[in-house]
Amino acid sequence: MIKIIRAGRLNSVQDTGRSHFRHLGICQSGALDRTALSIANMLVGNPPEAAAIEFTLGPCELHFTSDCRIALGGADFGATLDQRPLSPWWSVQARSGQTLRLNAARHGMRSYLAVAGGFNSATQLGSRSTDLQAGFGGHAGRTLTEGDSLSAGELNAPDAAVHAAPSFGVRPPAWYESDDSEPLPIRVIPGPEYDSFTVAAHRAFWNESWTLTPQSNRMGFRLSGPELKIKKGNDLLSHGVLPGVIQVPPAGQPIVLMADAQTTGGYPKIGVVIGADLAKLAQLRFNRTLRFVECDAAEAREELRRDNLYLQQIEAAMHWLRPARK
C-alpha cells in the first residue's frame, strides 16, 4: 500500500510499545511521543495504540499504491501530498499514485503517519513496535529503507465511515505550538538517590538550563550542563530502570532514559520525568534547552488524567463520523 521512496533518518514502525517483559530484559520500545501517535491514529479511526510510522527530523518520501485514509501527528515537517500542503493533526484521503513528502522539521523533532487499519506488521510479544537494539518487531526489526513496502490492516464497518469522510482535523495540546527558543519546562519527581547528590548539585539541577546533545537517541537523551556531583560512598548495584528515569553517570551529565532504554542500570537516579511530559521531551530538538521543574506524584497523576481526558474528548468527537449504534 505504501512504498518508501526516500527513507530519511531513523524512521520506524512503532505503536505504544511492549508491556510486562522488562523482567526478561526486553525494553518497552514504542513511540517516543505517544500523544501524537494516539491522536494521529484516532483521526483515521484506529485505536490509539495502533502501529504508525515514526519519522525523526526528515526529509523523506512515500508513494501510495492504493487509496487509504491518513493523518499526521506531531512535529510540523512542512508535508505535502502531491505538492499540496498537508498540515499535522489533519485526516485526509490519499489516492493511489499520490506521493507524500516530509521536509525538514520546522518545529519539533518527530512526526507520526497513521493509516486507516494500522500498519500490518507482525505482532511480537504483544506489540508491532520496532526494537532497534534487539532487531525484532516493526518492519524486519530495523529502520525503514528505500524500496520497503508496508501494508495496512483490514477496516471494520465503523472505521470505514471515517475512511470516506471529508477532510477534518483537531487542535493539538497548546504546548506543540510553543516557542522552543526558551528552555522547555519538564516536570520531574525527585528520584531514589536524590539525597545522595550534593547541595550544589541540587541547585544546579533545578536552576540551570540543560542542552539536549546530538549524542541522544531512542535509548536515552544526553544532556549537557553543570556537573552534578554525588557524595562519596554511594556505589549502587545494577537495578531496574524505566523510561523517564534520569541517571547521572560519573561524568556528572544527566541522561534521561527513553523508550528503547535498557531494563537495568547502576547509575544513581536523581529524578524521574513524569509520564505526561515525556512527549514534550520527545519533541525537543538537538542543541535546544530545557529546565527541570520539581513536582510530586499527585501532580504527575493529575497531568496524566488531563492528557487522557483530552484523548477521550477526541474519541468522543469521532463518533459523529460513525454509523449510529443499534
Side-chain angles (χ1 to χ4, degrees):
M1 187 198 68
I2 294 179
K3 185 174 183 179
I4 308 298
I5 306 301
R6 183 180 181 185
R9 310 179 190 179
L10 200 64
N11 301 327
S12 60
V13 175
Q14 301 291 345
D15 56 19
T16 51
R18 294 178 175 84
S19 301
H20 312 303
F21 294 103
R22 299 189 73 81
H23 66 293
L24 299 176
I26 297 170
C27 72
Q28 172 183 295
S29 299
L32 294 186
D33 182 349
R34 289 193 180 190
T35 301
L37 172 89
S38 298
I39 295 174
N41 271 317
M42 287 191 287
L43 288 177
V44 296
N46 293 342
E49 67 275 10
I53 298 178
E54 179 180 83
F55 299 104
T56 303
L57 284 177
C60 54
E61 184 174 326
L62 304 88
H63 182 74
F64 296 99
T65 59
S66 61
D67 295 351
C68 59
R69 190 79 184 195
I70 66 170
L72 289 171
D76 184 358
F77 278 56
T80 60
L81 184 61
D82 272 3
Q83 301 182 347
R84 297 184 62 180
L86 175 59
S87 299
W89 318 110
W90 277 89
S91 174
V92 302
Q93 184 74 11
R95 302 296 181 185
S96 177
Q98 289 189 304
T99 298
L100 174 67
R101 292 185 177 88
L102 280 74
N103 301 298
R106 296 173 177 174
H107 176 74
M109 187 77 166
R110 293 173 173 84
S111 181
Y112 296 84
L113 173 67
V115 299
F119 285 101
N120 197 25
S121 58
T123 299
Q124 294 180 284
L125 298 179
S127 170
R128 289 185 166 90
S129 284
T130 310
D131 186 328
L132 295 174
Q133 302 304 313
F136 73 94
H139 185 77
R142 57 169 172 77
T143 57
L144 300 177
T145 61
E146 282 82 0
D148 285 344
S149 294
L150 304 175
S151 62
E154 295 291 331
L155 296 175
N156 59 40
D159 294 342
V162 177
H163 189 276
S167 299
F168 64 94
V170 298
R171 186 166 186 173
W175 65 264
Y176 279 101
E177 301 171 353
S178 62
D179 183 5
D180 61 2
S181 61
E182 297 294 326
L184 177 70
I186 297 294
R187 287 163 293 190
V188 170
I189 299 173
E193 288 77 54
Y194 179 80
D195 290 336
S196 298
F197 289 85
T198 65
V199 173
H202 291 165
R203 285 198 298 265
F205 184 75
W206 299 117
N207 297 328
E208 300 293 334
S209 294
W210 299 92
T211 302
L212 180 66
T213 72
Q215 288 71 44
S216 303
N217 54 35
R218 284 181 48 88
M219 289 186 68
F221 282 11
R222 294 180 175 270
L223 307 179
S224 175
E227 181 182 357
L228 300 179
K229 293 185 178 181
I230 196 168
K231 300 172 185 176
K232 293 182 179 180
N234 285 289
D235 294 335
L236 299 174
L237 296 175
S238 187
H239 52 273
V241 292
L242 296 164
V245 164
I246 306 172
Q247 291 187 313
V248 182
Q253 300 297 284
I255 302 172
V256 184
L257 303 185
M258 301 302 285
D260 281 1
Q262 71 279 8
T263 59
T264 61
Y267 296 137
K269 305 178 290 297
I270 194 170
V272 182
V273 175
I274 68 172
D277 280 4
L278 282 175
K280 298 179 184 179
L281 185 58
Q283 293 294 355
L284 186 66
R285 295 167 70 91
F286 294 144
N287 298 317
R288 300 300 173 96
T289 59
L290 61 87
R291 59 183 178 86
F292 293 122
V293 178
E294 187 173 2
C295 75
D296 57 22
E299 182 179 351
R301 286 192 292 267
E302 175 60 18
E303 289 303 310
L304 193 60
R305 186 194 68 82
R306 290 178 182 176
D307 279 3
N308 290 335
L309 178 60
Y310 176 76
L311 296 178
Q312 289 167 12
Q313 290 171 337
I314 295 176
E315 179 64 22
M318 291 293 295
H319 285 302
W320 68 273
L321 291 171
R322 296 186 171 100
R325 294 178 179 176
K326 297 181 180 180

Short mmCIF file of all heavy atoms in Angstrom, two decimals, residues 221-278:
data_model
loop_
_atom_site.label_atom_id
_atom_site.label_comp_id
_atom_site.label_asym_id
_atom_site.label_seq_id
_atom_site.Cartn_x
_atom_site.Cartn_y
_atom_site.Cartn_z
N PHE A 221 18.30 10.38 26.24
CA PHE A 221 18.59 11.76 25.86
C PHE A 221 19.72 12.25 26.76
O PHE A 221 19.55 12.38 27.98
CB PHE A 221 17.36 12.64 26.02
CG PHE A 221 16.35 12.50 24.91
CD1 PHE A 221 16.44 11.48 23.98
CD2 PHE A 221 15.30 13.39 24.79
CE1 PHE A 221 15.52 11.34 22.96
CE2 PHE A 221 14.37 13.27 23.78
CZ PHE A 221 14.48 12.26 22.86
N ARG A 222 20.86 12.54 26.15
CA ARG A 222 22.02 13.01 26.89
C ARG A 222 21.99 14.53 26.98
O ARG A 222 21.82 15.22 25.96
CB ARG A 222 23.31 12.54 26.22
CG ARG A 222 23.49 11.02 26.27
CD ARG A 222 24.77 10.58 25.61
NE ARG A 222 24.98 9.15 25.78
CZ ARG A 222 25.64 8.60 26.78
NH1 ARG A 222 26.18 9.37 27.71
NH2 ARG A 222 25.77 7.29 26.86
N LEU A 223 22.16 15.03 28.20
CA LEU A 223 22.08 16.46 28.45
C LEU A 223 23.45 17.01 28.81
O LEU A 223 24.29 16.31 29.39
CB LEU A 223 21.09 16.75 29.58
CG LEU A 223 19.69 16.16 29.42
CD1 LEU A 223 18.83 16.51 30.62
CD2 LEU A 223 19.04 16.64 28.13
N SER A 224 23.65 18.28 28.47
CA SER A 224 24.90 18.97 28.78
C SER A 224 24.61 20.16 29.67
O SER A 224 23.68 20.93 29.41
CB SER A 224 25.58 19.42 27.48
OG SER A 224 26.73 20.19 27.75
N GLY A 225 25.42 20.32 30.71
CA GLY A 225 25.24 21.43 31.64
C GLY A 225 26.26 21.32 32.75
O GLY A 225 27.31 20.67 32.60
N PRO A 226 25.99 21.95 33.90
CA PRO A 226 26.94 21.87 35.01
C PRO A 226 27.08 20.44 35.53
O PRO A 226 26.16 19.63 35.42
CB PRO A 226 26.32 22.79 36.07
CG PRO A 226 24.87 22.86 35.71
CD PRO A 226 24.81 22.76 34.22
N GLU A 227 28.23 20.14 36.08
CA GLU A 227 28.48 18.80 36.60
C GLU A 227 27.66 18.57 37.87
O GLU A 227 27.67 19.38 38.80
CB GLU A 227 29.96 18.61 36.91
CG GLU A 227 30.30 17.22 37.44
CD GLU A 227 31.77 17.08 37.78
OE1 GLU A 227 32.54 18.04 37.55
OE2 GLU A 227 32.15 16.00 38.30
N LEU A 228 26.96 17.44 37.91
CA LEU A 228 26.20 17.06 39.10
C LEU A 228 27.06 16.07 39.90
O LEU A 228 27.29 14.94 39.47
CB LEU A 228 24.87 16.42 38.70
CG LEU A 228 23.92 17.30 37.89
CD1 LEU A 228 22.65 16.52 37.54
CD2 LEU A 228 23.57 18.57 38.65
N LYS A 229 27.50 16.50 41.07
CA LYS A 229 28.40 15.66 41.87
C LYS A 229 27.61 14.90 42.92
O LYS A 229 26.69 15.43 43.54
CB LYS A 229 29.46 16.53 42.53
CG LYS A 229 30.43 17.16 41.54
CD LYS A 229 31.54 17.91 42.25
CE LYS A 229 32.54 18.49 41.25
NZ LYS A 229 33.64 19.22 41.92
N ILE A 230 28.02 13.66 43.11
CA ILE A 230 27.40 12.81 44.11
C ILE A 230 28.32 12.69 45.31
O ILE A 230 29.55 12.82 45.18
CB ILE A 230 27.09 11.41 43.51
CG1 ILE A 230 26.10 10.65 44.37
CG2 ILE A 230 28.36 10.62 43.28
CD1 ILE A 230 25.54 9.41 43.70
N LYS A 231 27.74 12.48 46.48
CA LYS A 231 28.54 12.28 47.67
C LYS A 231 29.31 10.98 47.57
O LYS A 231 28.92 10.05 46.86
CB LYS A 231 27.64 12.26 48.90
CG LYS A 231 26.84 13.54 49.10
CD LYS A 231 25.83 13.37 50.22
CE LYS A 231 24.94 14.59 50.35
NZ LYS A 231 23.89 14.39 51.39
N LYS A 232 30.39 10.86 48.28
CA LYS A 232 31.21 9.65 48.23
C LYS A 232 30.51 8.49 48.93
O LYS A 232 29.67 8.68 49.80
CB LYS A 232 32.56 9.92 48.88
CG LYS A 232 33.43 10.91 48.12
CD LYS A 232 34.78 11.09 48.79
CE LYS A 232 35.64 12.07 47.99
NZ LYS A 232 36.97 12.26 48.64
N GLY A 233 30.88 7.29 48.52
CA GLY A 233 30.37 6.10 49.18
C GLY A 233 28.96 5.74 48.81
O GLY A 233 28.23 5.18 49.63
N ASN A 234 28.54 6.04 47.57
CA ASN A 234 27.17 5.75 47.16
C ASN A 234 27.13 4.87 45.91
O ASN A 234 26.32 5.08 45.02
CB ASN A 234 26.41 7.05 46.92
CG ASN A 234 26.01 7.74 48.20
OD1 ASN A 234 25.15 7.28 48.93
ND2 ASN A 234 26.68 8.85 48.50
N ASP A 235 28.05 3.92 45.84
CA ASP A 235 28.05 2.98 44.72
C ASP A 235 26.79 2.12 44.77
O ASP A 235 26.33 1.71 45.85
CB ASP A 235 29.28 2.09 44.75
CG ASP A 235 30.56 2.87 44.53
OD1 ASP A 235 30.47 3.94 43.90
OD2 ASP A 235 31.62 2.42 44.98
N LEU A 236 26.24 1.83 43.60
CA LEU A 236 25.00 1.06 43.52
C LEU A 236 25.20 -0.22 42.74
O LEU A 236 25.98 -0.27 41.78
CB LEU A 236 23.91 1.89 42.82
CG LEU A 236 23.49 3.21 43.48
CD1 LEU A 236 22.52 3.95 42.55
CD2 LEU A 236 22.84 2.96 44.82
N LEU A 237 24.48 -1.26 43.13
CA LEU A 237 24.38 -2.45 42.30
C LEU A 237 23.43 -2.16 41.15
O LEU A 237 22.58 -1.27 41.22
CB LEU A 237 23.86 -3.62 43.13
CG LEU A 237 24.75 -4.10 44.28
CD1 LEU A 237 24.04 -5.18 45.08
CD2 LEU A 237 26.09 -4.61 43.76
N SER A 238 23.55 -2.91 40.07
CA SER A 238 22.63 -2.75 38.95
C SER A 238 21.20 -3.04 39.41
O SER A 238 20.96 -3.98 40.17
CB SER A 238 23.02 -3.70 37.81
OG SER A 238 22.23 -3.45 36.67
N HIS A 239 20.26 -2.21 38.96
CA HIS A 239 18.88 -2.33 39.42
C HIS A 239 17.94 -1.95 38.28
O HIS A 239 18.37 -1.42 37.25
CB HIS A 239 18.65 -1.41 40.63
CG HIS A 239 19.08 0.01 40.37
ND1 HIS A 239 20.37 0.43 40.57
CD2 HIS A 239 18.39 1.07 39.91
CE1 HIS A 239 20.46 1.71 40.25
NE2 HIS A 239 19.28 2.12 39.84
N GLY A 240 16.66 -2.20 38.45
CA GLY A 240 15.70 -1.93 37.39
C GLY A 240 15.49 -0.45 37.15
O GLY A 240 15.47 0.36 38.08
N VAL A 241 15.34 -0.09 35.86
CA VAL A 241 15.07 1.30 35.47
C VAL A 241 13.94 1.32 34.45
O VAL A 241 13.62 0.30 33.81
CB VAL A 241 16.32 1.99 34.90
CG1 VAL A 241 17.36 2.20 35.99
CG2 VAL A 241 16.90 1.19 33.73
N LEU A 242 13.35 2.50 34.27
CA LEU A 242 12.21 2.68 33.38
C LEU A 242 12.40 3.93 32.53
O LEU A 242 13.18 4.82 32.90
CB LEU A 242 10.92 2.84 34.20
CG LEU A 242 10.46 1.66 35.05
CD1 LEU A 242 9.42 2.13 36.06
CD2 LEU A 242 9.88 0.57 34.15
N PRO A 243 11.67 4.05 31.41
CA PRO A 243 11.69 5.31 30.66
C PRO A 243 11.26 6.48 31.55
O PRO A 243 10.32 6.36 32.33
CB PRO A 243 10.68 5.06 29.54
CG PRO A 243 10.70 3.59 29.33
CD PRO A 243 10.90 3.00 30.70
N GLY A 244 11.98 7.58 31.43
CA GLY A 244 11.72 8.75 32.25
C GLY A 244 12.72 8.92 33.37
O GLY A 244 12.91 10.03 33.88
N VAL A 245 13.38 7.83 33.79
CA VAL A 245 14.39 7.91 34.84
C VAL A 245 15.56 8.78 34.37
O VAL A 245 16.00 8.68 33.23
CB VAL A 245 14.88 6.49 35.21
CG1 VAL A 245 16.18 6.55 36.01
CG2 VAL A 245 13.81 5.76 36.01
N ILE A 246 16.06 9.64 35.25
CA ILE A 246 17.22 10.48 34.95
C ILE A 246 18.41 9.92 35.72
O ILE A 246 18.48 10.04 36.94
CB ILE A 246 16.97 11.95 35.35
CG1 ILE A 246 15.69 12.47 34.71
CG2 ILE A 246 18.16 12.82 34.93
CD1 ILE A 246 15.28 13.85 35.20
N GLN A 247 19.31 9.29 35.00
CA GLN A 247 20.53 8.74 35.60
C GLN A 247 21.68 9.74 35.47
O GLN A 247 21.72 10.52 34.52
CB GLN A 247 20.92 7.43 34.93
CG GLN A 247 19.97 6.27 35.19
CD GLN A 247 20.50 4.97 34.63
OE1 GLN A 247 20.95 4.90 33.50
NE2 GLN A 247 20.46 3.92 35.44
N VAL A 248 22.60 9.67 36.39
CA VAL A 248 23.78 10.55 36.34
C VAL A 248 25.04 9.68 36.38
O VAL A 248 25.40 9.15 37.44
CB VAL A 248 23.78 11.55 37.51
CG1 VAL A 248 24.99 12.49 37.39
CG2 VAL A 248 22.49 12.36 37.52
N PRO A 249 25.72 9.52 35.24
CA PRO A 249 26.98 8.77 35.21
C PRO A 249 28.09 9.53 35.95
O PRO A 249 27.89 10.68 36.37
CB PRO A 249 27.28 8.67 33.70
CG PRO A 249 26.00 9.00 33.02
CD PRO A 249 25.28 9.95 33.91
N PRO A 250 29.27 8.92 36.11
CA PRO A 250 30.37 9.56 36.85
C PRO A 250 30.76 10.93 36.31
O PRO A 250 31.23 11.78 37.08
CB PRO A 250 31.52 8.56 36.70
CG PRO A 250 30.83 7.24 36.55
CD PRO A 250 29.59 7.52 35.77
N ALA A 251 30.59 11.19 35.02
CA ALA A 251 30.96 12.49 34.45
C ALA A 251 30.03 13.61 34.92
O ALA A 251 30.33 14.79 34.71
CB ALA A 251 30.96 12.42 32.93
N GLY A 252 28.90 13.26 35.54
CA GLY A 252 28.02 14.26 36.10
C GLY A 252 27.04 14.89 35.14
O GLY A 252 26.36 15.86 35.49
N GLN A 253 26.94 14.35 33.90
CA GLN A 253 25.99 14.87 32.91
C GLN A 253 24.79 13.92 32.82
O GLN A 253 24.94 12.75 32.48
CB GLN A 253 26.66 15.00 31.55
CG GLN A 253 27.86 15.93 31.54
CD GLN A 253 27.49 17.37 31.90
OE1 GLN A 253 26.93 18.10 31.09
NE2 GLN A 253 27.80 17.77 33.13
N PRO A 254 23.57 14.41 33.11
CA PRO A 254 22.42 13.51 33.21
C PRO A 254 21.99 12.91 31.89
O PRO A 254 22.19 13.50 30.81
CB PRO A 254 21.32 14.40 33.79
CG PRO A 254 21.75 15.80 33.49
CD PRO A 254 23.24 15.79 33.45
N ILE A 255 21.40 11.72 31.98
CA ILE A 255 20.81 11.03 30.83
C ILE A 255 19.37 10.69 31.19
O ILE A 255 19.11 10.03 32.20
CB ILE A 255 21.57 9.74 30.48
CG1 ILE A 255 23.04 10.02 30.19
CG2 ILE A 255 20.92 9.02 29.31
CD1 ILE A 255 23.88 8.76 30.03
N VAL A 256 18.42 11.13 30.35
CA VAL A 256 17.02 10.76 30.54
C VAL A 256 16.74 9.51 29.73
O VAL A 256 16.90 9.51 28.50
CB VAL A 256 16.07 11.89 30.09
CG1 VAL A 256 14.62 11.51 30.42
CG2 VAL A 256 16.43 13.20 30.77
N LEU A 257 16.36 8.42 30.38
CA LEU A 257 16.07 7.18 29.68
C LEU A 257 14.78 7.31 28.89
O LEU A 257 13.78 7.82 29.39
CB LEU A 257 15.99 6.01 30.66
CG LEU A 257 17.22 5.78 31.54
CD1 LEU A 257 17.04 4.51 32.36
CD2 LEU A 257 18.49 5.70 30.70
N MET A 258 14.80 6.80 27.65
CA MET A 258 13.64 6.90 26.78
C MET A 258 13.12 5.50 26.43
O MET A 258 13.50 4.51 27.06
CB MET A 258 14.00 7.71 25.53
CG MET A 258 14.48 9.13 25.83
SD MET A 258 13.29 10.15 26.75
CE MET A 258 12.11 10.54 25.48
N ALA A 259 12.27 5.39 25.43
CA ALA A 259 11.51 4.15 25.19
C ALA A 259 12.37 2.93 24.94
O ALA A 259 12.01 1.81 25.32
CB ALA A 259 10.55 4.36 24.02
N ASP A 260 13.53 3.08 24.30
CA ASP A 260 14.39 1.94 23.99
C ASP A 260 15.45 1.70 25.05
O ASP A 260 16.40 0.94 24.83
CB ASP A 260 15.09 2.15 22.63
CG ASP A 260 14.17 1.84 21.46
OD1 ASP A 260 13.01 1.49 21.70
OD2 ASP A 260 14.61 1.99 20.30
N ALA A 261 15.30 2.32 26.23
CA ALA A 261 16.31 2.19 27.27
C ALA A 261 16.43 0.77 27.77
O ALA A 261 15.48 -0.02 27.72
CB ALA A 261 15.97 3.11 28.43
N GLN A 262 17.62 0.44 28.26
CA GLN A 262 17.88 -0.86 28.88
C GLN A 262 16.97 -1.04 30.09
O GLN A 262 16.39 -0.08 30.60
CB GLN A 262 19.35 -0.95 29.30
CG GLN A 262 19.73 -0.07 30.49
CD GLN A 262 19.98 1.39 30.14
OE1 GLN A 262 19.74 1.82 29.03
NE2 GLN A 262 20.47 2.14 31.13
N THR A 263 16.85 -2.25 30.54
CA THR A 263 15.94 -2.54 31.65
C THR A 263 16.61 -2.44 33.02
O THR A 263 15.93 -2.40 34.04
CB THR A 263 15.34 -3.94 31.49
OG1 THR A 263 16.41 -4.90 31.45
CG2 THR A 263 14.53 -4.04 30.20
N THR A 264 17.95 -2.43 33.06
CA THR A 264 18.66 -2.29 34.33
C THR A 264 19.79 -1.29 34.16
O THR A 264 20.27 -1.04 33.05
CB THR A 264 19.25 -3.63 34.82
OG1 THR A 264 20.20 -4.11 33.85
CG2 THR A 264 18.17 -4.66 35.04
N GLY A 265 20.22 -0.71 35.28
CA GLY A 265 21.32 0.23 35.26
C GLY A 265 21.86 0.43 36.66
O GLY A 265 21.17 0.17 37.65
N GLY A 266 23.09 0.93 36.76
CA GLY A 266 23.72 1.10 38.05
C GLY A 266 24.04 2.53 38.43
O GLY A 266 24.61 2.77 39.50
N TYR A 267 23.68 3.49 37.56
CA TYR A 267 23.94 4.89 37.89
C TYR A 267 22.87 5.43 38.84
O TYR A 267 21.71 5.02 38.78
CB TYR A 267 23.96 5.74 36.63
CG TYR A 267 25.06 5.40 35.65
CD1 TYR A 267 24.80 5.33 34.29
CD2 TYR A 267 26.37 5.16 36.08
CE1 TYR A 267 25.80 5.02 33.38
CE2 TYR A 267 27.37 4.85 35.18
CZ TYR A 267 27.09 4.78 33.83
OH TYR A 267 28.08 4.47 32.94
N PRO A 268 23.23 6.36 39.71
CA PRO A 268 22.24 6.95 40.63
C PRO A 268 21.16 7.72 39.88
O PRO A 268 21.43 8.37 38.86
CB PRO A 268 23.07 7.86 41.52
CG PRO A 268 24.32 8.14 40.75
CD PRO A 268 24.58 6.91 39.94
N LYS A 269 19.95 7.65 40.41
CA LYS A 269 18.78 8.27 39.77
C LYS A 269 18.43 9.54 40.55
O LYS A 269 17.91 9.47 41.66
CB LYS A 269 17.60 7.29 39.77
CG LYS A 269 17.94 5.96 39.11
CD LYS A 269 16.78 4.98 39.16
CE LYS A 269 16.51 4.48 40.56
NZ LYS A 269 17.64 3.72 41.14
N ILE A 270 18.69 10.70 39.94
CA ILE A 270 18.41 11.96 40.61
C ILE A 270 16.94 12.36 40.48
O ILE A 270 16.42 13.12 41.30
CB ILE A 270 19.32 13.08 40.06
CG1 ILE A 270 19.28 14.31 40.99
CG2 ILE A 270 18.95 13.44 38.63
CD1 ILE A 270 20.31 15.37 40.65
N GLY A 271 16.24 11.84 39.49
CA GLY A 271 14.84 12.18 39.31
C GLY A 271 14.19 11.32 38.26
O GLY A 271 14.84 10.48 37.62
N VAL A 272 12.88 11.55 38.06
CA VAL A 272 12.09 10.83 37.05
C VAL A 272 11.18 11.84 36.36
O VAL A 272 10.40 12.54 37.03
CB VAL A 272 11.24 9.71 37.69
CG1 VAL A 272 10.47 8.96 36.60
CG2 VAL A 272 12.10 8.75 38.49
N VAL A 273 11.26 11.92 35.05
CA VAL A 273 10.36 12.77 34.28
C VAL A 273 8.96 12.18 34.34
O VAL A 273 8.77 10.98 34.13
CB VAL A 273 10.82 12.88 32.81
CG1 VAL A 273 9.82 13.68 31.98
CG2 VAL A 273 12.20 13.53 32.74
N ILE A 274 7.95 13.01 34.63
CA ILE A 274 6.59 12.49 34.73
C ILE A 274 6.11 12.03 33.36
O ILE A 274 6.53 12.56 32.32
CB ILE A 274 5.63 13.53 35.35
CG1 ILE A 274 5.42 14.72 34.42
CG2 ILE A 274 6.15 14.00 36.70
CD1 ILE A 274 4.33 15.68 34.90
N GLY A 275 5.21 11.07 33.36
CA GLY A 275 4.74 10.48 32.10
C GLY A 275 4.14 11.50 31.14
O GLY A 275 4.33 11.40 29.92
N ALA A 276 3.42 12.50 31.67
CA ALA A 276 2.77 13.49 30.82
C ALA A 276 3.76 14.37 30.08
O ALA A 276 3.39 15.00 29.07
CB ALA A 276 1.83 14.36 31.66
N ASP A 277 5.01 14.45 30.55
CA ASP A 277 6.00 15.34 29.91
C ASP A 277 6.98 14.60 29.02
O ASP A 277 7.83 15.22 28.38
CB ASP A 277 6.76 16.12 30.97
CG ASP A 277 5.97 17.31 31.49
OD1 ASP A 277 4.81 17.47 31.08
OD2 ASP A 277 6.52 18.09 32.30
N LEU A 278 6.88 13.27 28.94
CA LEU A 278 7.80 12.53 28.06
C LEU A 278 7.56 12.88 26.59
O LEU A 278 8.50 12.93 25.79
CB LEU A 278 7.65 11.03 28.29
CG LEU A 278 8.34 10.48 29.53
CD1 LEU A 278 8.02 9.00 29.71
CD2 LEU A 278 9.86 10.68 29.46
#
